[in-house]
Amino acid sequence: DTGVSQDPRHKITKRGQNVTFRCDPISEHNRLYWYRQTLGQGPEFLTYFQNEAQLEKSRLLSDRFSAERPKGSFSTLEIQRTEQGDSAMYLCASSLGTGGERGYGYTFGSGTRLTVV
Amino acid sequence: GQNIDQPTEMTATEGAIVQINCTYQTSGFNGLFWYQQHAGEAPTFLSYNVLDGLEEKGRFSSFLSRSKGYSYLLLKELQMKDSASYLCAHEEGNNRLAFGKGNQVVVIP
């Protein structure tokens, strides 16, 4: 168990470009979550998958954002036509069942820091 | 929604005790989590409370009062490595966490 891995760690892109981030959850975790965190704020929920099914999307997830988890393992988050307001840390987390069921919470990756210039 | 409130920053001396408070409002409560986050790193799980009372884990303890919508995290015998942001979050709908802004603790010698 190597934890939740995210790639890349940092991404600088020009406004209007598309970017894609990858998340590899803990292998036996069936749930995968994407959050966004800006400076001085707590993480905000974007979307979550149970296995390969995307079961909930926040209204923060505009049409320019799309997430997939095609085989129920790794996930990708794509942002099209990036805007400066998209600059943030994008965090992935995974869990086996709900975070509280086993009392150990959700395991977060180190995130991808996106800077849109 | 994300109706969760935390104070923003505090400074404390090595070896001291600090208490970080968190108040929340939610229509469906499924548990209260505390996470530690060092700058530029992943939030790491500290504790989980679903019933009223105090949960102790080494130097860290967490308390919950569901009727008051209130929790606190107690950090004892502060160490320099405890300098971090402490996030409280409640679980909504069994499928996501709603976080507060976090409380930055700065430990000084």
Side-chain angles (χ1 to χ4, degrees):
Chain A
D1 178 1
T2 57
V4 177
S5 301
Q6 291 189 247
D7 182 69
R9 288 296 307 273
H10 303 274
K11 178 72 177 178
I12 300 175
T13 190
K14 291 185 178 178
R15 190 174 50 189
Q17 297 293 306
N18 299 343
V19 294
T20 301
F21 311 141
R22 177 180 170 123
C23 171
D24 287 88
I26 293 173
S27 56
E28 64 266 28
H29 284 183
N30 58 345
R31 294 187 175 207
L32 185 148
Y33 312 80
W34 285 98
Y35 286 79
R36 181 173 70 187
Q37 186 175 26
T38 53
L39 201 61
Q41 303 293 317
E44 296 174 294
F45 171 79
L46 292 178
T47 188
Y48 111 94
F49 292 83
Q50 180 155 314
N51 301 313
E52 66 275 8
Q54 188 174 18
L55 296 186
E56 187 174 346
K57 292 194 283 189
S58 162
R59 62 179 180 276
L60 292 175
L61 212 67
S62 76
D63 291 346
R64 297 184 297 105
F65 288 69
S66 61
E68 294 182 344
R69 195 183 182 197
K71 297 181 181 178
S73 55
F74 73 92
S75 175
T76 58
L77 177 69
E78 181 183 16
I79 309 174
Q80 296 181 325
R81 306 181 302 281
T82 52
E83 301 172 357
Q84 286 188 321
D86 298 331
S87 295
M89 175 78 85
Y90 290 85
L91 292 164
C92 177
S94 69
S95 70
L96 183 61
T98 69
E101 278 177 344
R102 297 192 180 188
Y104 59 70
Y106 301 64
T107 304
F108 282 83
S110 295
T112 294
R113 180 166 294 284
L114 174 66
T115 303
V116 182
V117 298
Chain B
Q2 297 195 5
N3 295 317
I4 192 160
D5 220 11
Q6 292 184 255
T8 52
E9 184 170 317
M10 58 174 61
T11 302
T13 307
E14 208 171 1
I17 300 174
V18 294
Q19 177 174 315
I20 303 166
N21 299 318
C22 173
T23 57
Y24 65 89
Q25 291 179 315
T26 181
S27 54
F29 179 77
N30 290 319
L32 195 290
F33 296 81
W34 283 95
Y35 281 81
Q36 179 191 62
Q37 187 177 29
H38 289 100
E41 297 184 13
T44 53
F45 172 74
L46 290 179
S47 69
Y48 169 71
N49 296 69
V50 68
L51 299 176
D52 291 351
L54 188 68
E55 294 279 343
E56 297 191 73
K57 270 189 187 180
R59 296 187 299 113
F60 294 173
S61 304
S62 56
F63 171 83
L64 176 67
S65 168
R66 288 172 297 171
S67 62
K68 295 181 180 176
Y70 167 70
S71 175
Y72 69 72
L73 179 70
L74 199 66
L75 285 60
K76 301 177 213 173
E77 299 167 22
L78 275 180
Q79 300 175 8
M80 298 299 290
K81 66 179 181 179
D82 297 331
S83 292
S85 180
Y86 291 85
L87 299 157
C88 73
H90 62 79
E91 190 170 47
E92 291 188 326
N94 282 329
N95 57 24
R96 55 187 162 88
L97 294 175
F99 283 90
K101 292 183 179 180
N103 183 303
Q104 186 69 39
V105 172
V106 178
V107 182
I108 57 175

